[in-house]
Amino acid sequence: MGDGGSDTGEDPMLDSLICVAGSSIKKSGFIASHSTDERERRVIFVNAGGEELRRQGHSEIEVEADRFFQGGDVLRTDEEVADGGDLPSIYQSARYGNFCYEFRDLPPGDYSVDLHFAEIVYTNGPRGMRVFNVFIQDEKAVSELDVYSIVGANRALQVMNIPVSAGKDGVVSVNFQGVVGSPTVSGICIKQGAPELQLVSSGRDGKSLLCDNCFAPVKLTAAENKAARMSFTAKYEREIRELKAQCQMKQDECYEAWMSLTAANQELEKVRAELDVKFFQNFTLGQAMEKETEKMAKISSKYEHDRRLWVAAIDELERKMKAIKSEHSQLSFEAHQCANSIPGLNQMVTAVQSLVGQYDDLKMKFNEEQERRKKLYNQLLESKGNIRVFCRCRPLNMEEASSRPQTVVEFTDAKDGDLGVLMNGSNKKIYKFDRVYTPKDDQCDVFEDASPVATSVLDGYNVCIFAYGQTGTGKTFTMEGTEQNRGVNYRTLELLFKIAEDRKKTISYDISVSVLEVYNEQVRDLLASSPPAKRMVVRLEIKQVSEGVNHVPGVVDMKVENVDEVWNILQTGSNARAVGSNNVNGHSSRSHCMICTVVRAKNLVTGECTRSKLWLVDLAGSERLAKTDVQGERLKEAQSINKSLSALGDVISALATKSSHIPYRNSKLTHLLQDSLGGDSKTLMFVQISPSEHDLGETVSSLNFATRVRGVELGPAKKQSDTTEIQKLKLMVRLNNFL
Ligand code: ADP
Ligand code: MG
């Protein structure tokens, strides 16, 4: 046992480099064994980074050139390597860098590996320049080996007997991994068989367990073995304690790491939750953003549209402004011209003012003239008499014409108002009237003469127009007429509207119409809307509301605006008259039909207001009735008719004689007409006659009544009237109705 023994047991630092039990470090080079066994055990010995070496002699050594390596470079030195043993030249070359060795095709079994090192480049150190690990079959065999720090520069070092097993693949791999700098190796020797447990020397006595010459294990005594094992055990127990302490430390570190990991996880969870919230918020915001963007797009498109409209509008305005400006300059130019051309503008104003004054003056004069015209017109009518009588003879009717009757009337001088009546054959009597109408004269001719009287109602006069005569002589025809051939009533109202229209700038008229019937001394309102089925007879009373103004309370007073309304009202009245009677013609001839037109006028210039009435009366038939016919209801009717017609005669008579008492109240007829008979009122009577000789009696009777009426002059001229004439007249009326 010499210095060739392992140093491992002596140096704890070296122990720590060895990771596999059984291996050891030796601070010197390779010493060849003399034993054949040892020689035969060597399977492969490579000179890393160097050539094949052979040493002949008693200990034949065969070292192969460098192979089995992968990667790395070659290092060489010519310097001598101290303690190089039997083969110092293998330490003059080395493989260094990133490399590994892989030995193949080894029979499966146990082997031991020797590694040879020498620091041949960094001769002068320092330590720690090259530190590396060695793995055999992936297991760490040497840890953090720093050759320089163990043996110094250019000195050999061996790590020996690292046990390894080759599996079925027959491979043994040796890996070098640098910790600092690049690893180097000078030689690798693989020997067959696992190394014997090499008990190192106890240290104290420096005894080795290997033979100095052949490195063969030396058999130890039991006590020595025990001591060796104890030392081994102590070494491992120390290592275990250290490892335990390290393990505890690592555990603590692990625990702390785990704790901080848990905390970090919690933090992470929190952050993740926050992230979720943020994500959701972000998503919501994103949606809101999208909506807003959409809105914005809409708004901006609307804005764009509006802007275009405004631009167009502004352009248009600018164009108009230009036009207005040019118009304005044109106008001001014209105004200047005007002002220049009228130097006497003030004079003109004065002239206009004086014209206005003249206009007012003329207006006043016009009103005065109008007033005068009215008066003159009235005087003209008065000059013709306030009561006028027109005689109208109807044509022969079909029946009369077919029976060839004698015509008893003659119209030779009708134009002069003369009517001839043949009495008893040859005796002809002439009657004189204001107008005489032959059967050929039509409604127009009749109205032409009647209209001045009728229309004086518009000048504020009360007017009465009667149709008197035997039944069937044309009273109704004259007053009402037919739709194709309208009579006085309709034509009068038509004319009133026409004149009112003509005068509307100076006078405004309100025209209203009521239609009454007097039958058996009862007044019926023919416009009242009482149900006809009940034959309701509205009995109206007559009241005097003021001097010369009569009024029938409750009577329907229809305001009319045009002639169509008038026609409707007249039709309504006419239809109502027929209702409630078994014999329509009979009834109508035995009652008086009275149309009252009230005219309210306002002079727009003077403000003067008037109210006047126009009565249009279709009287009951004036014929006498045979005594035998007169009984029951007919007697009552006859008495009523007689009463009213004679009362009409009495009133006219009393008016003519300027009697202090005018008996208006003797009949409903005269009572109703009270404010329209007498005074300034105008009266027109149509006396209707038949041409037939059958009616001669009645014709003569009617003509006589009319002649008497015409003879009585109302108004101022009438003062001289003969009262005896009136008495005669009254007598005649009575006779007419009773005989
Ligand atoms: P009264 O009302 O007096 O009883 P009407 O007016 O009813 O008489 O006339 C009787 C008939 O004679 C009617 O058919 C009417 O058309 C006709 N008649 C009356 N006068 C004329 C006339 N002037 N021209 C044509 N027909 C007339
Ligand atoms: Mg009639």
Side-chain angles (χ1 to χ4, degrees):
M1 301 281 178
D3 58 341
S6 171
D7 298 329
T8 314
E10 296 164 358
D11 189 346
M13 191 197 87
L14 293 184
D15 276 355
S16 70
L17 298 178
I18 302 299
C19 302
V20 185
S23 58
S24 58
I25 290 178
K26 193 176 179 195
K27 295 179 186 175
S28 58
F30 171 74
I31 302 292
S33 169
H34 297 290
S35 78
T36 327
D37 183 41
E38 173 64 22
R39 228 180 12 247
E40 281 171 2
R41 275 188 67 209
R42 272 202 295 272
V43 180
I44 302 163
F45 193 167
V46 291
N47 178 17
E51 308 295 323
E52 181 193 59
L53 296 175
R54 248 173 230 284
R55 204 188 77 172
Q56 304 290 338
H58 68 280
S59 57
E60 195 175 308
I61 308 165
E62 227 173 86
V63 179
E64 294 181 40
D66 191 13
R67 53 190 194 112
F68 307 116
F69 62 86
Q70 285 175 14
D73 289 312
V74 172
L75 283 181
R76 289 219 175 119
T77 184
D78 293 331
E79 282 186 49
E80 203 158 311
V81 176
D83 290 331
D86 293 335
L87 284 174
S89 57
I90 69 163
Y91 298 104
Q92 285 179 315
S93 68
R95 179 156 294 276
Y96 93 103
N98 283 324
F99 63 95
C100 68
Y101 281 81
E102 203 168 85
F103 303 93
R104 296 179 173 277
D105 304 324
L106 297 173
D110 292 331
Y111 296 87
S112 19
V113 180
D114 296 345
L115 302 173
H116 299 266
F117 304 98
E119 190 61 54
I120 56 171
V121 174
Y122 297 107
T123 328
N124 299 314
R127 296 170 172 224
M129 285 291 286
R130 191 191 313 278
V131 181
F132 57 91
N133 299 325
V134 182
F135 295 83
I136 295 184
Q137 299 290 59
D138 296 332
E139 266 192 48
K140 202 191 247 182
V142 182
S143 175
E144 300 188 8
L145 176 66
D146 182 353
V147 177
Y148 180 85
S149 69
I150 300 169
V151 287
N154 293 332
R155 296 185 82 87
L157 176 80
Q158 289 182 70
V159 177
M160 301 179 69
N161 294 319
I162 304 167
V164 64
S165 296
K168 282 182 183 168
D169 57 355
V171 175
V172 169
S173 70
V174 184
N175 263 302
F176 298 82
Q177 278 186 7
V179 178
V180 178
S182 300
T184 65
V185 68
S186 293
I188 301 171
C189 176
I190 296 179
K191 297 174 290 185
Q192 210 166 28
E196 294 266 336
L197 184 62
Q198 293 189 1
L199 296 175
V200 292
S201 59
S202 65
R204 276 190 306 271
D205 55 8
K207 276 184 190 168
S208 175
L209 298 180
L210 294 175
C211 173
D212 277 344
N213 295 324
C214 65
F215 287 95
V218 177
K219 295 270 179 192
L220 298 176
T221 62
E224 281 171 335
N225 246 336
K226 191 180 173 189
R229 230 175 272 129
M230 288 278 282
S231 130
F232 234 79
T233 310
K235 179 188 166 190
Y236 283 109
E237 274 174 356
R238 195 173 67 238
E239 269 180 21
I240 286 168
R241 273 197 303 278
E242 275 171 16
L243 282 173
K244 266 186 180 170
Q246 271 179 16
C247 183
Q248 187 59 41
M249 215 165 70
K250 293 285 172 201
Q251 240 178 16
D252 290 352
E253 273 174 19
C254 251
Y255 179 73
E256 269 171 34
W258 183 75
M259 286 301 281
S260 65
L261 186 71
T262 312
N265 265 341
Q266 282 174 351
E267 195 64 24
L268 191 70
E269 272 308 305
K270 225 193 276 176
V271 168
R272 198 170 285 159
E274 268 173 33
L275 198 69
D276 280 352
V277 170
K278 292 283 171 206
F279 177 78
F280 182 72
Q281 281 177 350
N282 200 23
F283 178 71
T284 322
L285 272 175
Q287 278 187 333
M289 271 291 287
E290 257 173 43
K291 271 184 197 164
E292 286 303 313
T293 315
E294 227 169 81
K295 256 192 218 166
M296 275 298 291
K298 269 185 200 163
I299 287 170
S300 60
S301 86
K302 190 176 179 298
Y303 165 78
E304 188 54 32
H305 178 248
D306 285 359
R307 195 182 65 81
R308 262 190 237 124
L309 285 183
W310 278 112
V311 167
I314 287 167
D315 285 352
E316 176 68 12
L317 277 175
E318 273 174 0
R319 201 178 54 72
K320 280 185 184 165
M321 272 294 287
K322 263 185 206 159
I324 287 169
K325 269 185 190 162
S326 83
E327 214 171 293
H328 174 257
S329 62
Q330 176 69 23
L331 279 175
S332 56
F333 174 71
E334 280 172 17
H336 277 297
Q337 274 190 334
C338 244
N340 293 340
S341 66
I342 309 172
L345 201 64
N346 282 343
Q347 273 181 345
M348 223 168 125
V349 171
T350 326
V352 168
Q353 278 171 346
S354 87
L355 276 175
V356 170
Q358 278 178 23
Y359 166 75
D360 286 342
D361 198 35
L362 279 173
K363 201 162 80 174
M364 213 171 69
K365 282 182 183 157
F366 168 75
N367 282 331
E368 283 169 8
E369 279 306 315
Q370 218 181 20
E371 234 7 78
R372 204 175 300 155
R373 182 194 64 78
K374 247 160 78 176
K375 270 188 196 151
L376 282 173
Y377 182 65
N378 195 38
Q379 278 170 13
L380 180 74
L381 289 179
E382 277 176 1
S383 70
K384 291 181 180 174
N386 261 353
I387 179 157
R388 313 185 67 201
V389 180
F390 296 167
C391 177
R392 189 178 193 188
C393 179
R394 70 157 167 82
L396 285 169
N397 59 32
M398 303 275 271
E399 197 185 322
E400 290 164 342
S402 62
S403 62
R404 296 173 187 269
Q406 281 286 306
T407 306
V408 292
V409 283
E410 202 189 80
F411 302 104
T412 328
D413 295 316
K415 278 181 192 154
D416 302 328
D418 285 356
L419 175 79
V421 180
L422 298 169
M423 322 282 265
N424 310 320
S426 58
N427 185 10
K428 187 169 96 175
K429 189 176 176 185
I430 303 293
Y431 287 90
K432 247 198 152 0
F433 296 107
D434 296 291
R435 285 284 281 140
V436 169
Y437 301 104
T438 71
K440 286 175 189 160
D441 289 323
D442 63 12
Q443 303 284 62
C444 291
D445 300 324
V446 172
F447 184 65
E448 201 179 326
D449 300 315
S451 60
V453 179
T455 54
S456 65
V457 70
L458 293 177
D459 293 330
Y461 294 100
N462 288 340
V463 180
C464 265
I465 299 177
F466 301 102
Y468 178 94
Q470 180 193 357
T471 298
T473 50
K475 295 186 294 297
T476 306
F477 184 79
T478 297
M479 298 307 286
E480 269 183 32
T482 60
E483 197 166 350
Q484 296 74 33
N485 215 357
R486 284 171 178 168
V488 172
N489 295 353
Y490 181 82
R491 286 169 194 265
T492 300
L493 282 152
E494 189 179 38
L495 187 57
L496 292 188
F497 281 114
K498 189 176 172 299
I499 296 170
E501 178 66 22
D502 291 347
R503 294 183 188 173
K504 74 176 177 195
K505 282 187 182 158
T506 50
I507 303 171
S508 85
Y509 288 105
D510 258 5
I511 300 174
S512 57
V513 175
S514 44
V515 184
L516 304 173
E517 180 185 50
V518 177
Y519 173 70
N520 278 352
E521 282 306 289
Q522 287 168 356
V523 183
R524 288 176 70 199
D525 183 348
L526 296 185
L527 298 185
S529 55
S530 311
K534 290 187 178 174
R535 296 188 167 196
M536 182 85 77
V537 174
V538 183
R539 289 171 196 185
L540 299 168
E541 293 306 318
I542 304 152
K543 295 242 163 75
Q544 186 172 2
V545 286
S546 63
E547 179 63 33
V549 180
N550 271 10
H551 180 61
V552 185
V555 79
V556 176
D557 198 17
M558 295 275 232
K559 192 170 177 218
V560 281
E561 305 277 358
N562 55 56
V563 77
D564 290 334
E565 287 178 14
V566 168
W567 181 249
N568 286 338
I569 286 172
L570 296 184
Q571 284 299 113
T572 310
S574 190
N575 294 340
R577 199 178 177 198
V579 172
S581 165
N582 294 331
N583 178 346
V584 174
N585 289 329
H587 174 86
S588 69
S589 64
R590 289 188 296 278
S591 66
H592 311 298
C593 177
M594 308 173 74
I595 297 166
C596 179
T597 304
V598 177
V599 175
R600 291 178 187 82
K602 182 175 182 181
N603 189 312
L604 300 175
V605 184
T606 61
E608 184 198 7
C609 293
T610 58
R611 183 178 182 278
S612 44
K613 280 184 195 171
L614 161 67
W615 285 98
L616 298 159
V617 186
D618 181 2
L619 288 167
S622 62
E623 67 274 12
R624 297 159 295 174
L625 295 168
K627 272 188 181 174
T628 47
D629 293 344
V630 181
Q631 49 188 301
E633 193 61 23
R634 299 298 295 272
L635 177 64
K636 197 180 165 192
E637 280 176 359
Q639 282 170 341
S640 301
I641 295 165
N642 170 59
K643 187 182 169 188
S644 55
L645 290 179
S646 56
L648 183 65
D650 288 346
V651 165
I652 294 173
S653 161
L655 285 168
T657 56
K658 282 279 175 188
S659 164
S660 57
H661 175 67
I662 316 288
Y664 289 113
R665 295 184 174 225
N666 281 358
S667 75
K668 291 285 189 231
L669 175 68
T670 48
H671 198 174
L672 278 170
L673 297 173
Q674 183 170 355
D675 52 6
S676 307
L677 280 175
D680 281 342
S681 309
K682 316 213 177 319
T683 306
L684 169 62
M685 178 182 280
F686 287 100
V687 58
Q688 302 281 148
I689 56 167
S690 152
S692 169
E693 69 173 334
H694 295 301
D695 299 318
L696 182 61
E698 289 300 335
T699 303
V700 169
S701 166
S702 295
L703 290 174
N704 285 342
F705 181 83
T707 307
R708 304 289 175 193
V709 167
R710 186 172 178 260
V712 176
E713 288 203 5
L714 301 178
K718 207 173 42 186
K719 282 178 188 168
Q720 303 93 358
S721 299
D722 187 357
T723 48
T724 51
E725 279 293 307
I726 303 294
Q727 292 306 323
K728 271 188 203 163
L729 189 68
K730 282 173 76 178
L731 193 68
M732 265 187 61
V733 169
R734 287 202 182 105
L735 282 170
N736 274 346
N737 288 287
F738 273 102
L739 283 174

